[in-house]
Amino acid sequence: MEFIISGVVQAIFLLASGDSSTWSAVAVTLKVSTCSMLMSMAAGLPCGFLIGYFDFRGKRALRTVLDTMLALPTVFIGLLVYAFISNQGPLGEFNLLFSLGGIAVGQTLLAFPIVTALTAVTIEAIDPQLKLTLISLGAGKKNILATCLWEVRFGILAAAVTAYGRVMTEVGISMMVGGNIKWHTRTITTAIALETGKGMFANGIALGVVLITIAFGVNLSLSFLRKQ
Amino acid sequence: MKSPLAYHFNQVEHYYGTNKALDIKELAIPRGSITGIAGPNGSGKSTLLKLMTFAESPRFGEILFNGKKEHLFSPSVRFEISLLTQKPYLLKRTVFENTAYGLKIRKNSKDIRARVEEALSKVGLPFEDFAKRRWHQLSGGEAQRVALAARLALHPQVLLLDEPTASVDAESAARIRDASLAARRDWGTTLVIVSHDPQWLNEISDTTLHLFEGKAVKPGRNTMIPGPWTTQPNHMAFCDLGGGQRFFAPDPPARDAMGLISAHDIKLDPPEKSREFTNQLEGIVTHLVLDPKTAMVIASIRVGDLMVITLIDQQTVAASGLYPGRVVTLFARPSAVTWL
């Protein structure tokens, strides 16, 4: 118990003193997760809208595939991305292995099914009265699309936050594709894994506190937006 | 020249899958009129309103609006027809933004505030108290009134109301009724109202269309008599109205057939020198209202569980001292019942 308490005390000191290796991991995490979230949202939102709004042949099968992808293990995605971007892989020429770009690609693959599936569910749950109401108020096709998206904005935000949480906390992709290189591709989660392995609990706890604080901040923002 | 008809249905059939939801051979609704639509659940009332908004197209037949074939997103449909559903959807915004939504779409930004204020006051919601309230800060009745205000703000040429007072408090119901009627009075709006309240429909509508299993019965003042019917050996069947009273009619096509009898065929006096058996029913007058078009008094009389509509001339009303609450005896020939 004593070493945990001492770890917490040291963690506070590390964060307050601006320990550069700790804050480097924080910066890398924020950079790469923001990048992967932007990419997954750009691709996942339209796909989720199309799947949720329209009925088409094979929709059920597609939903089953998407739902399965929600449970993809991060080490498997890491392995897949590694195979594609390593020197022998088809995308080897882009030199993405052990780079932030490589991690971002892997995390995008992780977040895409989450954003797509949750957006589709949100769109499917739109009250059928909404479309009729908009039509009866004179809305055209573009008005209907824009208003529908605005009406489900909280559901879409929730999808984004869920995906962000998964991306922020994953270890497999960052470790396998990024290589956990200090000052370069070391993220909060890979750093925690490494520091704990070395017995450096203070560093691990400090990074854990930052991770929880970021997650708390994101959820707080969402809650604030809901009230607006 | 503009067509005198707001709607003209010609041989319209509509299906959901293989189920026929509506079958209307012909229906004409004059501009500026109030048409009531009555019928049991599942009779096609809401489907009829959806077709009138052009949100759905009939599988067969044609619907003319102002004498022209129209489609969902044509300007005259988008900007002239408005529907208020039974459970209205309010946008997740303030009351002001909900009421102003249609005006903004029409890019009518000049007098939005005045129009919203006018519409809210028509439904009895003071602008200062309600404009800034959010959708979740309203009671069910207030939400329904805001939804109606959003449509009144548009000064629509046609206002379709689907059970507008079904699930609201008495005050909201009264406000909704008054505001709907004001739309016709002030802007000549054509009103089509679906309601389970025959009394209200008879009071305000120029004509009432009865629907049963998707089919339209001749418009007019009618009473629908639902089964079940118990058949007797003499081809005469009866239906229990409650309170120990029975209504007799000949040869119902099915046990659960719906009978229909015109208000003209229900009398307060016994038929003279008739050998035909006559239904004799005791009822309580619940409502009397003057039909300005025919100068006849429309009487709603409760017989057991059935609300019966009859037409009485003003002299008879005055002479017999009819008033709500009075017990009267009604006479109706069984052969006057038609089957739907």
Side-chain angles (χ1 to χ4, degrees):
Chain A
M1 190 65 192
E2 204 176 297
F3 75 97
I4 295 176
I5 295 167
S6 117
V8 172
V9 174
Q10 281 183 52
I12 294 166
F13 175 75
L14 277 173
L15 288 173
S17 66
D19 176 65
S20 52
S21 67
T22 305
W23 285 108
S24 161
V26 172
V28 166
T29 302
L30 288 176
K31 209 184 287 179
V32 79
S33 59
T34 305
C35 184
S36 56
M37 276 312 297
L38 287 176
M39 289 197 289
S40 60
M41 293 284 283
L45 277 183
C47 289
F49 184 84
L50 292 175
I51 294 168
Y53 196 79
F54 295 104
D55 284 321
F56 52 88
R57 230 177 176 187
K59 181 173 173 171
R60 263 183 141 178
L62 185 61
R63 288 300 302 270
T64 308
V65 171
L66 262 181
D67 291 344
T68 308
M69 285 173 73
L70 290 176
L72 271 184
T74 56
V75 283
F76 177 73
I77 298 175
L79 174 70
L80 209 67
V81 175
Y82 189 100
F84 269 79
I85 65 175
S86 65
N87 285 337
Q88 295 168 322
L91 303 175
E93 60 188 287
F94 294 105
N95 291 322
L96 287 170
L97 193 61
F98 304 134
S99 73
L100 293 185
I103 304 175
V105 168
Q107 290 187 345
T108 303
L109 290 178
L110 176 68
F112 173 77
I114 301 172
V115 173
T116 307
L118 294 185
T119 302
V121 169
T122 305
I123 296 291
E124 278 170 349
I126 286 180
D127 189 329
Q129 293 286 339
L130 172 60
K131 193 178 169 193
L132 196 56
T133 297
L134 297 179
I135 288 170
S136 72
L137 290 173
K141 287 176 187 170
K142 284 180 189 168
N143 305 120
I144 291 173
L145 176 68
T147 310
C148 280
L149 282 176
W150 185 249
E151 284 299 292
V152 297
R153 59 195 180 277
F154 299 127
I156 289 173
L157 267 175
V161 168
T162 306
Y164 196 64
R166 184 106 162 89
V167 160
M168 285 271 295
T169 54
E170 68 82 22
V171 189
I173 297 167
S174 303
M175 191 71 92
M176 292 177 76
V177 180
N180 196 17
I181 305 166
K182 195 172 184 183
W183 310 113
H184 180 47
T185 58
R186 181 167 295 173
T187 63
I188 295 176
T189 51
T190 57
I192 291 174
L194 182 77
E195 301 298 345
T196 308
K198 287 182 348 193
M200 306 287 283
F201 291 107
N203 293 56
I205 291 170
L207 289 162
V209 168
V210 174
L211 204 58
I212 290 168
T213 308
I214 293 171
F216 183 68
V218 169
N219 280 294
L220 204 66
S221 313
L222 182 69
S223 164
F224 176 75
L225 282 171
R226 274 178 194 272
K227 283 183 186 166
Q228 295 307 299
Chain B
M1 198 181 118
K2 271 192 172 179
S3 165
L5 296 179
Y7 285 101
H8 186 224
F9 280 56
N10 191 13
Q11 306 293 329
V12 169
E13 287 182 29
H14 192 55
Y15 291 77
Y16 290 121
T18 53
N19 293 332
K20 192 190 272 188
L22 207 64
D23 180 2
I24 296 184
K25 301 299 175 209
E26 191 171 13
L27 172 64
I29 297 181
R31 292 158 69 95
S33 65
I34 301 180
T35 303
I37 298 176
N41 289 337
S43 59
K45 303 187 296 292
S46 297
T47 303
L48 176 59
L49 290 193
K50 277 184 195 163
L51 292 183
M52 285 179 165
T53 63
F54 293 88
E56 290 179 13
S57 302
R59 194 176 291 180
F60 301 109
E62 62 174 11
I63 301 170
L64 302 181
F65 177 61
N66 287 338
K68 289 180 194 163
K69 268 189 158 183
E70 293 289 0
H71 60 90
L72 176 57
F73 292 110
S74 74
S76 58
V77 168
R78 272 180 68 190
F79 300 142
E80 299 299 348
I81 302 172
S82 200
L83 165 72
L84 178 67
T85 53
Q86 188 177 348
K87 286 180 186 165
Y89 184 97
L90 285 189
L91 302 173
K92 294 181 174 63
R93 307 173 189 195
T94 62
V95 166
F96 181 90
E97 286 164 334
N98 265 286
T99 315
Y101 181 84
L103 293 171
K104 285 180 181 167
I105 279 176
R106 285 160 177 73
K107 303 204 179 346
N108 189 348
S109 56
K110 220 165 110 190
D111 54 353
I112 282 184
R113 194 185 186 279
R115 291 277 282 266
V116 170
E117 201 168 348
E118 175 202 48
L120 286 176
S121 83
K122 274 188 188 289
V123 295
L125 300 175
F127 182 86
E128 271 68 31
D129 296 344
F130 281 88
K132 286 182 183 165
R133 279 203 206 175
R134 298 184 67 75
W135 81 99
H136 55 79
Q137 295 171 317
L138 301 168
S139 69
E142 287 166 349
Q144 182 76 310
R145 283 149 78 179
V146 170
L148 178 59
R151 282 135 186 95
L152 293 177
L154 308 175
H155 295 185
Q157 203 183 96
V158 173
L159 185 57
L160 309 167
L161 304 171
D162 190 358
E163 297 276 5
T165 59
S167 49
V168 299
D169 56 286
E171 193 206 339
S172 293
R175 293 287 191 176
I176 288 166
R177 288 169 182 176
D178 292 348
S180 311
L181 293 181
R184 178 177 64 172
R185 191 183 58 232
D186 298 344
W187 314 310
T189 299
T190 305
L191 294 176
V192 180
I193 304 170
V194 166
S195 177
H196 275 115
D197 184 348
Q199 211 160 285
W200 181 48
L201 282 187
N202 279 309
E203 187 179 326
I204 63 160
S205 57
D206 300 318
T207 186
T208 303
L209 178 75
H210 290 266
L211 287 178
F212 183 68
E213 291 179 349
K215 289 182 181 165
V217 182
K218 56 173 183 174
R221 314 273 180 207
N222 299 306
T223 298
M224 294 176 98
I225 312 164
W229 296 88
T230 306
T231 313
Q232 294 182 313
N234 60 354
H235 297 290
M236 197 63 87
F238 66 84
C239 158
D240 273 319
L241 301 180
Q245 303 208 68
R246 287 175 170 180
F247 195 103
F248 288 86
D251 296 323
R255 184 174 154 76
D256 291 320
M258 180 71 79
L260 186 89
I261 185 163
S262 165
H264 295 285
D265 291 320
I266 296 175
K267 314 270 186 197
L268 283 176
D269 307 311
E272 290 170 12
K273 293 177 186 172
S274 170
R275 288 188 175 182
E276 190 186 352
F277 167 79
T278 305
N279 284 294
Q280 194 169 327
L281 307 161
E282 277 214 338
I284 297 171
V285 178
T286 60
H287 199 70
L288 295 169
V289 63
L290 183 69
D291 180 357
K293 279 196 173 172
T294 59
M296 297 283 277
V297 174
I298 305 163
S300 304
I301 299 164
R302 180 165 291 284
V303 180
D305 300 325
L306 184 72
M307 187 62 79
V308 174
I309 304 296
T310 183
L311 292 169
I312 311 165
D313 63 69
Q314 291 181 60
Q315 289 79 8
T316 307
V317 173
S320 57
L322 277 186
Y323 52 84
R326 182 166 166 190
V327 175
V328 292
T329 304
L330 298 171
F331 300 90
R333 287 177 298 110
S335 59
V337 173
T338 54
W339 300 105
L340 304 181

